[in-house]
Amino acid sequence: MKKIWSKLPAWLQAILLNLILLFPVIIAVQLIVQANLQSSSEWGWGLILTVLILAGYWYLVKRFNKFDQAEDIKLELTFSMSKASNWLMILGLMCITPSVIQLTTFLFDVSSTVQTAYFEAFRAYGPGKAIPLMLAMALTAGVVEEITYRGFMQNTLNRKYQWWLSILLIAVIFTIMHLLPLPLVLPYMIISVMFSLVAEKTKSTGVVIFAHVLVDFVLFTLIYYEATSLTQVHSSVIMGNLVLLIVGILVLFYYLNSSKRTLLSLRTS
C-alpha cells in the first residue's frame, strides 16, 4: 500500500487526503448536530460528542503523522500566546475573511450560500441549543480543515512542488469543497491562500486553527442573531468592511514579511 501511495502524484495524494481526513469527520458531526436539533432537548449536547470525536481525530492524525522534517508545518492545536506577532496574524485573518466575503456578495449581489442558509435555519431553535451546536461546527471546521489543508496536504505538496504552487492547489481544492456560488470562488481562494501563508510562516497549524474557529463561530453567531445578512448591505457596512480589509492586509503582510526569510525563500523546491 505504501508503494502504491508513493507512486501517486502529489496533487492526487492531496485530493485523496481531503477525502480521507475531512469528509468522514465533517459528516459525522453534521449528523450529530442534526440529531440534536431534531431532539426534544433544549440543550446542545452535540457539542460534547463533537469534542470527543475531535479528540479521537487528533489522536489518530498525531499517531500517523510523518511530517517531522525541519521545513514541515507542525501539527499543533496551540500556539505561543506571548508572541504579539501570532495575535496580529490572527487579527489579520479575522479582518480579511469576513470583509472579502461581504464585499464580494455586495458587488455581485449574492443573496445566499449553502453555508448561510444552513445557519439561518438555526434561528428556529433557542440559544441554549443553537449556540453550542454552532460552536461544535466551528471547532470541527477549524480543527479538521486546517489539519487537512494546512497540515497534511500542504506538507505533502510542499515536498514535491514550489510553495506557491502548493498553496494555489490547496486554494482550488478548498474552494471546490465549499460548493460556492461562482462570484465567491476567488474570495475563498484568497482566504485559503492567506491561511496557507500564515501556516507557512509560523510552521505550525496552531495559529490558523485558532483563527479559523474564531472567525467561523463569530460569523455563525452573527447570522443566528441576524446581525449580518447577504441581502442587507448598507453603505456604512461597506465602508466598515473596506476598513477591515485594508487593516487585515496591512497587518498580515507586515508580519508575513517581517521574517528574516522572504516569502520567495520559504520554499524553493
Side-chain angles (χ1 to χ4, degrees), residues 12-187:
L12 182 55
Q13 290 180 354
I15 293 174
L16 292 175
L17 285 170
N18 182 67
L19 298 175
I20 295 168
L21 296 174
L22 188 73
F23 285 101
V25 181
I26 296 291
I27 292 172
V29 172
Q30 286 181 339
L31 290 173
I32 289 171
V33 169
Q34 195 61 35
N36 195 167
L37 290 174
Q38 293 177 352
S39 70
S40 58
S41 173
E42 296 182 0
W43 303 102
W45 47 262
L47 174 60
I48 298 173
L49 294 181
T50 298
V51 170
L52 292 176
I53 288 175
L54 293 178
Y57 175 82
W58 177 244
Y59 170 79
L60 289 175
V61 296
K62 289 290 287 184
R63 180 177 179 181
F64 294 101
N65 173 37
K66 303 299 181 182
F67 301 112
D68 52 5
Q69 298 179 13
E71 67 272 18
D72 287 335
I73 296 169
K74 303 298 182 292
L75 300 187
E76 297 173 325
L77 292 178
T78 59
F79 61 94
S80 175
M81 295 189 176
S82 61
K83 292 182 64 174
S85 60
N86 286 338
W87 289 106
L88 285 167
M89 280 188 282
I90 290 170
L91 174 63
L93 291 173
M94 288 193 67
C95 289
I96 290 174
T97 302
S99 60
V100 74
I101 293 173
Q102 190 76 66
L103 289 171
T104 305
T105 57
F106 167 72
L107 289 174
F108 293 94
D109 194 26
V110 179
S111 59
S112 182
T113 68
V114 173
Q115 291 77 20
T116 55
Y118 181 77
F119 287 101
E120 283 170 356
F122 278 60
R123 295 171 185 162
Y125 306 93
K129 176 184 284 190
I131 298 299
L133 293 181
M134 288 190 292
L135 177 57
M137 296 296 291
L139 284 170
T140 303
V143 172
V144 179
E145 288 188 17
E146 297 309 318
I147 289 295
T148 301
Y149 291 110
R150 257 55 73 171
F152 279 83
M153 289 172 61
Q154 194 157 328
N155 281 327
T156 298
L157 293 170
N158 277 349
R159 290 184 175 183
K160 297 294 182 178
Y161 308 130
Q162 293 186 0
W163 66 270
W164 60 266
L165 181 56
S166 299
I167 289 174
L168 182 59
L169 288 171
I170 289 170
V172 171
I173 299 171
F174 175 84
T175 304
I176 291 173
M177 189 276 294
H178 281 82
L179 303 173
L180 299 163
L182 188 59
L184 287 176
V185 168
L186 182 58

